Amino acid sequence: MKRIFLLLSVVSTLVFTSCNNDDDIIDTDTISEVFEVPNVNFIADGDFTVTIPLEPQIFTSDVVLVYRLSGTDPLGDDIWEQIPTTYFLDEGTLDYFTDFSRNSVSIYLDAEFDPLLRQDFSLNQVFRIVIVPGFFSNSVDVSDYDAVMNALNTSGNGVQVIETR
């Protein structure tokens, strides 16, 4: 009887330890969102600031990354540059910087000169806003737009477009 009990114990141990469901894990807490905001104009009346509402609100642990469309590569693909960034121009320095809350993202344009003198930086700008779960942002190079999109398993092609007022 002891041998049968021992045999059953060994067999059941093997059966229960050899089964796992690692391939069936569904990630339900990595919720990211990417949206594009075209036709952004920085004007003096708005103190060269644009505020984009986040609807719905994001979680307090989420991180918001902002990228500016800075041009296209030789193949015609968009080049996204992370904000904050500084440009050293003939007129002086020009900076984009940003902040965010659970409710909105603000993008600021600051320059040593009147930013409207460089309409290629102040008018008709396009931004991509990427909402990333907080724990995830520690494991990826957030300064590389393509690395962020690849890590989130999205190409960025299914981007939601938000029209600005």
Side-chain angles (χ1 to χ4, degrees), residues 37-42 50 52 107 122-127 164:
V37 185
N39 305 316
V40 174
N41 295 308
F42 295 94
V50 174
I52 298 122
I107 304 170
S122 59
L123 299 179
N124 202 27
Q125 299 299 298
V126 179
F127 293 93
T164 57

Side-chain angles (χ1 to χ4, degrees), residues 42-44 47-48 68 85-97 108-123:
F42 295 94
I43 56 174
D47 201 25
F48 300 104
R68 177 183 166 267
T85 190
T86 299
Y87 293 94
F88 300 97
L89 307 169
D90 291 339
E91 297 86 353
T93 60
L94 181 138
D95 298 292
Y96 288 104
F97 57 97
Y108 306 91
L109 178 61
D110 187 36
E112 295 177 340
F113 56 92
D114 180 0
L116 292 174
L117 293 175
R118 290 298 304 260
Q119 293 183 3
D120 53 332
F121 288 93
S122 59
L123 299 179

Side-chain angles (χ1 to χ4, degrees), residues 54-85:
L54 296 174
E55 296 172 7
Q57 292 179 344
I58 62 174
F59 295 107
T60 56
S61 60
D62 288 347
V63 176
V64 175
L65 306 174
V66 180
Y67 298 88
R68 177 183 166 267
L69 180 63
S70 63
T72 56
D73 68 12
L75 299 175
D77 293 327
D78 292 340
I79 298 173
W80 295 99
E81 183 174 65
Q82 187 179 20
I83 304 299
T85 190

